[in-house]
Every structure is written in C-alpha cells, then in structure tokens.
Amino acid sequence: MEFQLRAEYAEGTTPPRSGEARDTTWHMTEAGEARALCGRDLDPASETRPAEAWGTEAAESFCRSCGAQYLRQGQ
Ligand SMILES: [Zn+2]
C-alpha cells in the first residue's frame, strides 16, 4: 500500500506557497486519500509529501497518532 504525508494547517491560515509554513502538522494518509491514519479528515487541496519524508525535517511537526498507526502497518 502506498502512503503519503498530507499537511494540516492551523485554523485560520492558508496553505503557504513555499511549504515552509509554521503551524503545519503533517499526517500520514493512504495515497490519494484525504483521511489521515489517525482518523482526521484533511483538506484534499492541502500539500502532500512522499511518505519517505516522514522522520525528516520536511515533515515537522508530525502527528504522533499517524506515526504510531504507520508503524503498525509494518511499513
Ligand atoms: Zn494524524
């Protein structure tokens, strides 16, 4: 199964052009899905990153629930 990271923006902020926003939380979703592994529904228009970015500075800060679920998937 393919996974990707999807951004959740803090309430009231708009998606940044640079991708270097503060107040962004990254979640893990199945590829093409807007629902995170933790159960949170994310904006389908929000920014995504390859799953390989997980654990790197590009995915700070990362949802702990999604991280636990992702590990449970045996990836
Ligand atoms: Zn999450």
Side-chain angles (χ1 to χ4, degrees):
M1 190 177 294
E2 295 286 317
F3 291 91
Q4 66 186 13
L5 309 182
R6 185 176 290 280
E8 178 191 19
Y9 305 106
E11 214 168 324
T13 64
T14 53
R17 272 169 296 190
S18 67
E20 301 299 327
R22 329 149 273 143
D23 302 332
T24 298
T25 301
W26 292 92
H27 296 264
M28 189 73 76
T29 74
E30 292 179 24
E33 296 290 327
R35 170 163 289 194
L37 297 186
C38 66
R40 190 178 289 264
D41 287 313
L42 304 173
D43 186 344
S46 63
E47 192 180 349
T48 62
R49 297 259 166 92
E52 290 72 30
W54 181 54
T56 72
E57 286 184 9
E60 295 285 342
S61 57
F62 194 82
C63 170
R64 286 176 164 272
S65 299
C66 280
Q69 292 286 335
Y70 185 58
L71 287 174
R72 215 168 290 164
Q73 305 267 348
Q75 298 291 316

